Amino acid sequence: MAEQADAIIVGGGLAGLVAAAELADAGKRVIILEQEGENSLGGQAFWSLGGLFFVDSPEQRRLRIKDSRDLAMQDWLGSAQFDRAEDFWPRKVAEAFVDFAAGEMRPWLHAQGMRWFPVVGWAERGGALAHGHGNSVPRFHITWGTGPGVLEPFVRRVREHVSSGRIALKFRHQASRLIKIKGAVTGVAGEILEPSTVERGQQSGRGVIGEFEFNANAVIVTSGGIGGNFDLVRKNWPKDRLGPPPKNMIAGVPHHVDGRMVAITQDAGGAVINGDRMWHYTEGVKNWAPIWPNHGIRILPGPSSLWFDAKGNRLPAPYLPGFDTLGTLKHILSTGYDYSWFVLTQKIIKKEFALSGSEQNPDFTSKSWLAVLKSRRAKGAPPPVEAFKQHGEDFIVRDNLSGLVEAMNALTGEKLIDHDHLLMQIEARDREIDNPFAKDAQITAINGARNYLGDKLIRTAKPHKILDPANGPLIAVRLNVLTRKTLGGLHTNLDSQVLDKNGEPIPGLYAAGEVAGFGGGGYHGYNALEGTFLGGCIFSGRNAGRHAGR
């Protein structure tokens, strides 16, 4: 028998939970379909660092950061570089989101119990002109509790509605078809998968034990992106802009982030735009204790590590750590290799290295100030970073440069790094440290970063000479391309209604979160400002839930 509800949500991640909570608050009966087990509720957001993009927040003002809606909009448009006819709705959603981030977003989340670390992070700094890509000021607010802390209020709201009977959670239900009658989407059909006992994030089975069909007045697709499906990533790779896709990649998301609902929604008439826009990181390292297949972790670097390509040539400005993700990716791939190197010191790794994700930041995730102080003020780097330094196959530690170069070449099996060439570049950089000013763009950037109190206190090491043994040992880190976010997706309007090929809303069909390019079919345009992925899930999920609830 088909089961009836007011709305069906396909995907139990952040966007789906937000939409479900809003619908149930409006008195609607909701079914959430999730192909993974119950322990995967929350989806990819669980694994995140929990960064949110706020504008002119109390945290910023306390650090004397002068931000505004106009400055944020300037940064967004300079980064997005909207240039296509189909960017009409992405731009409208972007403008509405910046208004949300500068207005209601923080107080609305604060009222639900969410809190943030007092030091605001300065991610994706750009490094070019004022009207170009990048954040002019720090805007990356780490949620107290990281990804689980972002999910907490929405999981709580959903669980309360489950108890009252308004929301039904259907785990191990894999959607395979959207039911359409007389042009309107009226339900979802698919398979019931075999029970799974794997841990959150681990690869689960796909054995089928039954079928289902649910009917509703509205269906909201919130199934996430394609980062766990390397074949789809390569198929959509923008070769004209970034060059050929990497032969070797590591996965920043679990295997179930496979993009299958995109094609299913297209079969129901939904249009996809900006499928070639995507966001992959260049600072990926292989997880020494993997949870999902090809599991990679992103290094969140401060500005001081020296960045070299596979042949040992220093990357030019603005391709500095933390400045221009896609520009750096394009430059690295232009060398004919899909990896690069950081060379740094123990002083740099101690103060500047962080690893992205809730599991790599147990102190923030635990919401314990004592744990944060113990971890961040210890003699070495934070324990998860030190563990990667000790166990990670991409990390090399040596007391001198000759030993470091020998190990770098041994790790790749290619003798691409010439000791004397590397030495020349590092020595030239070290000579720039003798004065409080320099012509080296990276030294200038480091000095600029330390003008911001937050960076000076916990994020940017005091400038020092790389080759001085007092600052050692020397460390090299091989960096891999790490798949992560889909910037394009299902074409939607500001109410998260899915549009057809003619730009008209399909009755009864919505999409939110990453499957919709975080809103509009790609509200980031070509570049992301960070903290805008979770924020986009919250914003588009809220819009979908509220509009469908009306």
Side-chain angles (χ1 to χ4, degrees):
M1 293 288 291
E3 190 170 336
Q4 182 71 34
D6 294 308
I8 299 168
I9 294 173
V10 183
L14 176 59
L17 293 175
V18 174
E22 294 295 315
L23 279 159
D25 282 355
K28 306 301 181 182
R29 183 166 181 267
V30 184
I31 295 173
I32 299 177
L33 306 179
E34 171 56 56
Q35 69 178 359
E36 299 304 306
E38 185 168 3
N39 62 1
S40 290
L41 190 66
Q44 175 57 19
F46 176 89
W47 301 103
S48 75
L49 186 58
L52 291 173
F53 178 98
F54 295 145
V55 178
D56 192 28
S57 68
E59 290 79 14
Q60 287 175 302
R61 293 194 293 271
R62 280 194 289 268
L63 291 167
R64 300 179 183 178
I65 299 167
K66 296 182 179 180
D67 200 5
S68 68
R69 186 268 181 195
D70 289 345
L71 182 61
M73 199 70 246
Q74 170 183 299
D75 289 346
W76 195 290
L77 294 179
S79 299
Q81 300 167 23
F82 294 123
D83 61 357
R84 298 172 178 174
E86 57 265 38
D87 282 332
F88 174 83
W89 281 116
R91 179 169 179 146
K92 287 292 185 184
V93 176
E95 292 170 348
F97 175 76
V98 173
D99 288 339
F100 183 55
E104 186 186 0
M105 183 179 180
R106 186 190 178 281
W108 181 65
L109 295 174
H110 188 278
Q112 296 182 67
M114 210 177 289
R115 298 293 184 268
W116 299 275
F117 188 63
V119 178
V120 184
W122 195 357
E124 203 64 17
R125 307 181 188 206
L129 301 178
H131 64 276
H133 169 56
N135 283 297
S136 297
V137 298
R139 296 190 177 105
F140 191 79
H141 296 69
I142 297 177
T143 304
W144 196 230
T146 65
V150 174
L151 289 167
E152 191 173 286
F154 302 107
V155 171
R156 181 182 67 246
R157 289 170 64 189
V158 165
R159 292 288 188 190
E160 289 171 354
H161 286 301
V162 169
S163 297
S164 70
R166 281 212 178 100
I167 294 179
L169 293 167
K170 303 287 188 179
F171 297 104
R172 301 297 284 164
H173 279 60
Q174 178 179 263
S176 293
R177 179 170 60 92
L178 299 182
I179 302 167
K180 201 173 182 183
I181 300 176
K182 295 182 179 180
V185 172
T186 61
V188 183
E191 300 78 41
I192 302 172
L193 303 179
E194 63 189 352
S196 173
T197 58
V198 302
E199 296 296 322
R200 179 193 286 267
Q202 291 181 339
Q203 186 168 359
S204 60
R206 288 293 178 264
V208 175
I209 61 172
E211 297 180 345
F212 69 86
E213 181 179 315
F214 300 140
N215 297 324
N217 298 323
V219 173
I220 305 176
V221 179
T222 59
S223 54
I226 67 172
N229 186 334
F230 288 0
D231 290 337
L232 267 183
V233 170
R234 291 191 173 99
K235 179 181 178 181
N236 288 282
W237 191 270
K239 298 177 183 177
D240 58 327
R241 295 199 319 276
L242 298 180
K247 293 180 180 178
N248 300 295
M249 297 185 287
I250 53 179
V253 295
H255 78 289
H256 58 77
V257 185
D258 57 10
R260 68 189 308 272
M261 278 304 300
V262 175
I264 292 169
T265 309
Q266 284 181 292
D267 289 341
V272 170
I273 61 172
N274 301 318
D276 63 327
R277 293 178 181 171
M278 50 185 67
W279 192 255
H280 305 303
Y281 292 111
T282 52
E283 312 99 329
V285 292
K286 297 176 183 178
N287 194 343
W288 63 273
I291 298 172
W292 54 78
N294 302 305
H295 190 174
I297 296 292
R298 185 200 174 197
I299 294 172
L300 300 172
S304 301
S305 297
L306 293 186
W307 206 335
F308 297 93
D309 66 23
K311 297 179 181 179
N313 299 307
R314 192 174 170 198
L315 269 57
Y319 309 134
L320 308 173
F323 278 72
D324 184 350
T325 293
L326 290 193
T328 305
L329 177 59
K330 179 179 180 180
H331 179 84
I332 290 170
L333 294 177
S334 73
T335 67
Y337 296 86
D338 49 25
Y339 67 92
S340 59
W341 293 96
F342 275 166
V343 173
L344 59 149
T345 64
Q346 178 63 26
K347 282 187 177 180
I348 292 173
I349 200 172
K350 177 182 183 299
K351 192 161 188 178
E352 296 194 6
F353 264 39
L355 298 169
S356 182
S358 56
E359 85 280 18
Q360 299 299 331
N361 294 273
D363 48 352
F364 285 116
T365 303
S366 71
K367 299 186 180 181
S368 167
W369 276 107
L370 181 61
V372 170
L373 292 172
K374 184 177 180 181
S375 173
R376 308 287 158 163
R377 304 300 296 175
K379 183 178 181 180
V385 176
E386 288 291 341
F388 264 82
K389 194 179 80 172
Q390 180 179 352
H391 302 294
E393 68 175 85
D394 295 308
F395 285 71
I396 299 168
V397 182
R398 295 292 186 273
D399 290 327
N400 55 65
L401 189 63
S402 60
L404 194 75
V405 169
E406 182 180 357
M408 291 165 74
N409 285 328
L411 180 61
T412 63
E414 301 176 284
K415 295 185 178 181
L416 297 177
I417 308 293
D418 178 76
H419 172 271
D420 292 345
H421 181 55
L422 198 68
L423 176 65
M424 177 275 293
Q425 295 173 90
I426 300 175
E427 284 183 333
R429 178 266 183 205
D430 280 358
R431 293 188 189 102
E432 300 280 306
I433 297 298
D434 290 333
N435 294 288
F437 46 86
K439 73 174 183 179
D440 188 291
Q442 187 171 11
I443 303 301
T444 300
I446 293 169
N447 291 330
R450 287 176 63 83
N451 283 330
Y452 165 47
L453 181 61
D455 272 358
K456 186 174 183 178
L457 287 175
I458 65 169
R459 202 70 179 94
T460 306
K462 183 178 180 180
H464 59 271
K465 295 188 175 184
I466 301 292
L467 295 176
D468 185 343
N471 301 318
L474 291 172
I475 301 165
V477 185
R478 181 179 60 183
L479 306 172
N480 307 274
V481 176
L482 179 79
T483 65
R484 187 60 67 85
K485 297 298 179 186
T486 311
L487 298 191
L490 295 171
H491 196 187
T492 64
N493 59 21
L494 190 53
D495 293 320
S496 296
Q497 294 175 290
V498 175
L499 309 179
D500 63 18
K501 63 181 180 180
N502 298 316
E504 296 297 324
I506 298 173
L509 184 58
Y510 297 79
E514 190 173 353
V515 74
F518 301 94
Y523 87 148
H524 291 100
Y526 289 97
N527 293 283
L529 291 176
E530 299 289 7
T532 55
F533 300 126
L534 297 178
C537 290
I538 292 169
F539 184 60
S540 61
R542 190 175 91 145
N543 289 344
R546 290 188 173 185
H547 189 270
R550 292 196 295 270

